[in-house]
Amino acid sequence: MARLTLILGPKNYSSWSMRAWLLLRWLQLPFDEVTIPLYGEHSREWLLRYSPTAKVPVLIDDGVTIWDTLAIIMHLADAHPHIWPADPAKRAYARSICAEMHAGFQHLRNSMSYNARGRDRQVEMTPDLVADIARIREIWTEGRRRFGAGGAWLLGEFGVADIMFAPPAIRFVTYGVALDGVAESYSRRLLGHPLVREWLTLGQADAVIPACELGGTGIA
């Protein structure tokens, strides 16, 4: 089996890199990492060596390049179909909320730059941002209500839906977003997952990128 290579950004700042990394670790697939120091003088040049979009993450599988996290999920699901739940209703829900996470929540991304080490960050809670936060809470509550009986995670057993929603849980800590009920207990559980904790621990060693701190550009 050819070894995989994952091109990613710094762990403290790149939420999409986190999703791809968690996926590979959850599947227990061996892979090499190439970390690109984002927002540096030559960052775009380095990124374009791997991806036509100059974005992370990128997966290289036996010479085949896959960019974009959702594309990476779909690619790996060909060989690892258990990425998606076997039950048709649960699988449809998982695919829908993963696609929604992938394509939506722009106000959350733009206003709450991903910074896993950050704490007590303050942003303007615009109606659009409040709506994005409320929608994530709704997804977490609905997923647990409809499909959570089989385990402690969003759809019962830990899986790709939890991986896709791990970065918002981290954002909520960074910006002090208050949760309650099912959403609060699920978020705490997700932040305590061993792979999430490992990612956060590794990110503590990342150099500070001023453009990604409060008031900077941010990385979705």
Side-chain angles (χ1 to χ4, degrees), residues 16 68 70 96-107 109 164:
W16 286 111
D68 184 273
L70 191 58
S96 295
I97 62 174
C98 286
E100 183 178 353
M101 182 73 255
H102 180 265
F105 303 104
Q106 292 303 317
H107 301 288
R109 303 184 204 283
M164 287 293 283

PDB file of all heavy atoms in Angstrom, residues 16 68 70 96-107 109 164:
ATOM      1  N   TRP A  16      -9.389  23.421   8.472  1.00  0.00           N
ATOM      2  CA  TRP A  16      -9.610  22.406   7.443  1.00  0.00           C
ATOM      3  C   TRP A  16      -8.505  21.360   7.463  1.00  0.00           C
ATOM      4  O   TRP A  16      -8.758  20.175   7.227  1.00  0.00           O
ATOM      5  CB  TRP A  16      -9.730  23.066   6.069  1.00  0.00           C
ATOM      6  CG  TRP A  16     -11.042  23.758   5.898  1.00  0.00           C
ATOM      7  CD1 TRP A  16     -11.270  25.099   5.813  1.00  0.00           C
ATOM      8  CD2 TRP A  16     -12.333  23.134   5.820  1.00  0.00           C
ATOM      9  NE1 TRP A  16     -12.608  25.348   5.700  1.00  0.00           N
ATOM     10  CE2 TRP A  16     -13.287  24.166   5.691  1.00  0.00           C
ATOM     11  CE3 TRP A  16     -12.774  21.807   5.859  1.00  0.00           C
ATOM     12  CZ2 TRP A  16     -14.661  23.910   5.604  1.00  0.00           C
ATOM     13  CZ3 TRP A  16     -14.134  21.555   5.764  1.00  0.00           C
ATOM     14  CH2 TRP A  16     -15.058  22.588   5.635  1.00  0.00           C
ATOM     15  N   ASP A  68      -9.027  19.895  -1.176  1.00  0.00           N
ATOM     16  CA  ASP A  68     -10.328  20.161  -0.570  1.00  0.00           C
ATOM     17  C   ASP A  68     -10.720  19.002   0.362  1.00  0.00           C
ATOM     18  O   ASP A  68     -10.669  17.827  -0.012  1.00  0.00           O
ATOM     19  CB  ASP A  68     -11.428  20.382  -1.606  1.00  0.00           C
ATOM     20  CG  ASP A  68     -12.742  20.755  -0.947  1.00  0.00           C
ATOM     21  OD1 ASP A  68     -13.500  19.849  -0.581  1.00  0.00           O
ATOM     22  OD2 ASP A  68     -12.992  21.956  -0.779  1.00  0.00           O
ATOM     23  N   LEU A  70     -13.632  17.954   1.667  1.00  0.00           N
ATOM     24  CA  LEU A  70     -14.746  17.082   1.308  1.00  0.00           C
ATOM     25  C   LEU A  70     -14.343  16.112   0.207  1.00  0.00           C
ATOM     26  O   LEU A  70     -14.740  14.939   0.223  1.00  0.00           O
ATOM     27  CB  LEU A  70     -15.958  17.921   0.870  1.00  0.00           C
ATOM     28  CG  LEU A  70     -17.275  17.158   0.723  1.00  0.00           C
ATOM     29  CD1 LEU A  70     -17.651  16.467   2.026  1.00  0.00           C
ATOM     30  CD2 LEU A  70     -18.394  18.107   0.282  1.00  0.00           C
ATOM     31  N   SER A  96     -25.477  15.266   4.610  1.00  0.00           N
ATOM     32  CA  SER A  96     -26.097  16.590   4.516  1.00  0.00           C
ATOM     33  C   SER A  96     -25.426  17.587   5.450  1.00  0.00           C
ATOM     34  O   SER A  96     -25.102  18.715   5.047  1.00  0.00           O
ATOM     35  CB  SER A  96     -27.593  16.488   4.834  1.00  0.00           C
ATOM     36  OG  SER A  96     -28.265  15.718   3.863  1.00  0.00           O
ATOM     37  N   ILE A  97     -25.201  17.195   6.705  1.00  0.00           N
ATOM     38  CA  ILE A  97     -24.611  18.160   7.644  1.00  0.00           C
ATOM     39  C   ILE A  97     -23.125  18.380   7.360  1.00  0.00           C
ATOM     40  O   ILE A  97     -22.608  19.474   7.588  1.00  0.00           O
ATOM     41  CB  ILE A  97     -24.843  17.752   9.112  1.00  0.00           C
ATOM     42  CG1 ILE A  97     -24.187  16.411   9.440  1.00  0.00           C
ATOM     43  CG2 ILE A  97     -26.335  17.747   9.429  1.00  0.00           C
ATOM     44  CD1 ILE A  97     -24.262  16.048  10.924  1.00  0.00           C
ATOM     45  N   CYS A  98     -22.443  17.354   6.832  1.00  0.00           N
ATOM     46  CA  CYS A  98     -21.041  17.556   6.452  1.00  0.00           C
ATOM     47  C   CYS A  98     -20.944  18.522   5.273  1.00  0.00           C
ATOM     48  O   CYS A  98     -20.063  19.399   5.242  1.00  0.00           O
ATOM     49  CB  CYS A  98     -20.382  16.220   6.107  1.00  0.00           C
ATOM     50  SG  CYS A  98     -20.024  15.180   7.544  1.00  0.00           S
ATOM     51  N   ALA A  99     -21.842  18.372   4.303  1.00  0.00           N
ATOM     52  CA  ALA A  99     -21.852  19.294   3.165  1.00  0.00           C
ATOM     53  C   ALA A  99     -22.231  20.697   3.613  1.00  0.00           C
ATOM     54  O   ALA A  99     -21.667  21.691   3.132  1.00  0.00           O
ATOM     55  CB  ALA A  99     -22.823  18.800   2.096  1.00  0.00           C
ATOM     56  N   GLU A 100     -23.174  20.794   4.560  1.00  0.00           N
ATOM     57  CA  GLU A 100     -23.562  22.109   5.076  1.00  0.00           C
ATOM     58  C   GLU A 100     -22.386  22.769   5.788  1.00  0.00           C
ATOM     59  O   GLU A 100     -22.146  23.976   5.624  1.00  0.00           O
ATOM     60  CB  GLU A 100     -24.743  21.962   6.028  1.00  0.00           C
ATOM     61  CG  GLU A 100     -25.263  23.284   6.555  1.00  0.00           C
ATOM     62  CD  GLU A 100     -26.471  23.123   7.457  1.00  0.00           C
ATOM     63  OE1 GLU A 100     -27.001  21.999   7.590  1.00  0.00           O
ATOM     64  OE2 GLU A 100     -26.898  24.150   8.044  1.00  0.00           O
ATOM     65  N   MET A 101     -21.644  21.995   6.579  1.00  0.00           N
ATOM     66  CA  MET A 101     -20.476  22.535   7.267  1.00  0.00           C
ATOM     67  C   MET A 101     -19.430  22.977   6.256  1.00  0.00           C
ATOM     68  O   MET A 101     -18.786  24.012   6.409  1.00  0.00           O
ATOM     69  CB  MET A 101     -19.891  21.469   8.195  1.00  0.00           C
ATOM     70  CG  MET A 101     -18.688  21.919   9.021  1.00  0.00           C
ATOM     71  SD  MET A 101     -19.141  23.041  10.364  1.00  0.00           S
ATOM     72  CE  MET A 101     -18.599  24.619   9.736  1.00  0.00           C
ATOM     73  N   HIS A 102     -19.272  22.200   5.201  1.00  0.00           N
ATOM     74  CA  HIS A 102     -18.270  22.484   4.180  1.00  0.00           C
ATOM     75  C   HIS A 102     -18.583  23.767   3.425  1.00  0.00           C
ATOM     76  O   HIS A 102     -17.683  24.571   3.130  1.00  0.00           O
ATOM     77  CB  HIS A 102     -18.197  21.293   3.219  1.00  0.00           C
ATOM     78  CG  HIS A 102     -17.211  21.450   2.113  1.00  0.00           C
ATOM     79  ND1 HIS A 102     -17.570  21.923   0.873  1.00  0.00           N
ATOM     80  CD2 HIS A 102     -15.885  21.206   2.054  1.00  0.00           C
ATOM     81  CE1 HIS A 102     -16.510  21.954   0.087  1.00  0.00           C
ATOM     82  NE2 HIS A 102     -15.470  21.526   0.772  1.00  0.00           N
ATOM     83  N   ALA A 103     -19.848  23.975   3.098  1.00  0.00           N
ATOM     84  CA  ALA A 103     -20.220  25.072   2.209  1.00  0.00           C
ATOM     85  C   ALA A 103     -20.730  26.309   2.936  1.00  0.00           C
ATOM     86  O   ALA A 103     -20.747  27.394   2.354  1.00  0.00           O
ATOM     87  CB  ALA A 103     -21.288  24.599   1.221  1.00  0.00           C
ATOM     88  N   GLY A 104     -21.155  26.152   4.187  1.00  0.00           N
ATOM     89  CA  GLY A 104     -21.842  27.232   4.863  1.00  0.00           C
ATOM     90  C   GLY A 104     -21.057  27.873   5.985  1.00  0.00           C
ATOM     91  O   GLY A 104     -19.829  27.761   6.077  1.00  0.00           O
ATOM     92  N   PHE A 105     -21.791  28.584   6.842  1.00  0.00           N
ATOM     93  CA  PHE A 105     -21.255  29.207   8.057  1.00  0.00           C
ATOM     94  C   PHE A 105     -20.156  30.230   7.750  1.00  0.00           C
ATOM     95  O   PHE A 105     -19.178  30.348   8.483  1.00  0.00           O
ATOM     96  CB  PHE A 105     -20.754  28.129   9.031  1.00  0.00           C
ATOM     97  CG  PHE A 105     -21.808  27.124   9.399  1.00  0.00           C
ATOM     98  CD1 PHE A 105     -21.797  25.850   8.837  1.00  0.00           C
ATOM     99  CD2 PHE A 105     -22.821  27.469  10.275  1.00  0.00           C
ATOM    100  CE1 PHE A 105     -22.792  24.930   9.152  1.00  0.00           C
ATOM    101  CE2 PHE A 105     -23.820  26.553  10.598  1.00  0.00           C
ATOM    102  CZ  PHE A 105     -23.807  25.276  10.035  1.00  0.00           C
ATOM    103  N   GLN A 106     -20.364  30.984   6.681  1.00  0.00           N
ATOM    104  CA  GLN A 106     -19.358  31.970   6.295  1.00  0.00           C
ATOM    105  C   GLN A 106     -19.216  33.089   7.324  1.00  0.00           C
ATOM    106  O   GLN A 106     -18.113  33.630   7.521  1.00  0.00           O
ATOM    107  CB  GLN A 106     -19.711  32.553   4.923  1.00  0.00           C
ATOM    108  CG  GLN A 106     -19.590  31.559   3.775  1.00  0.00           C
ATOM    109  CD  GLN A 106     -18.202  30.958   3.685  1.00  0.00           C
ATOM    110  OE1 GLN A 106     -17.205  31.675   3.815  1.00  0.00           O
ATOM    111  NE2 GLN A 106     -18.121  29.663   3.473  1.00  0.00           N
ATOM    112  N   HIS A 107     -20.293  33.462   7.972  1.00  0.00           N
ATOM    113  CA  HIS A 107     -20.211  34.530   8.970  1.00  0.00           C
ATOM    114  C   HIS A 107     -19.392  34.066  10.173  1.00  0.00           C
ATOM    115  O   HIS A 107     -18.604  34.842  10.725  1.00  0.00           O
ATOM    116  CB  HIS A 107     -21.616  34.965   9.387  1.00  0.00           C
ATOM    117  CG  HIS A 107     -22.442  35.464   8.248  1.00  0.00           C
ATOM    118  ND1 HIS A 107     -22.219  36.682   7.636  1.00  0.00           N
ATOM    119  CD2 HIS A 107     -23.478  34.883   7.571  1.00  0.00           C
ATOM    120  CE1 HIS A 107     -23.089  36.854   6.647  1.00  0.00           C
ATOM    121  NE2 HIS A 107     -23.858  35.774   6.587  1.00  0.00           N
ATOM    122  N   ARG A 109     -16.961  31.813  10.036  1.00  0.00           N
ATOM    123  CA  ARG A 109     -15.563  31.751   9.582  1.00  0.00           C
ATOM    124  C   ARG A 109     -14.947  33.150   9.500  1.00  0.00           C
ATOM    125  O   ARG A 109     -13.799  33.357   9.903  1.00  0.00           O
ATOM    126  CB  ARG A 109     -15.476  31.095   8.205  1.00  0.00           C
ATOM    127  CG  ARG A 109     -16.057  29.693   8.115  1.00  0.00           C
ATOM    128  CD  ARG A 109     -15.817  29.138   6.715  1.00  0.00           C
ATOM    129  NE  ARG A 109     -16.765  28.105   6.372  1.00  0.00           N
ATOM    130  CZ  ARG A 109     -16.700  26.868   6.813  1.00  0.00           C
ATOM    131  NH1 ARG A 109     -15.736  26.510   7.633  1.00  0.00           N
ATOM    132  NH2 ARG A 109     -17.600  25.964   6.461  1.00  0.00           N
ATOM    133  N   MET A 164     -15.984  16.775  11.219  1.00  0.00           N
ATOM    134  CA  MET A 164     -16.304  18.023  10.523  1.00  0.00           C
ATOM    135  C   MET A 164     -16.697  19.140  11.492  1.00  0.00           C
ATOM    136  O   MET A 164     -16.464  20.321  11.213  1.00  0.00           O
ATOM    137  CB  MET A 164     -17.418  17.780   9.509  1.00  0.00           C
ATOM    138  CG  MET A 164     -16.978  17.001   8.283  1.00  0.00           C
ATOM    139  SD  MET A 164     -15.802  17.901   7.230  1.00  0.00           S
ATOM    140  CE  MET A 164     -16.896  19.034   6.384  1.00  0.00           C
TER     141      MET A 164
END
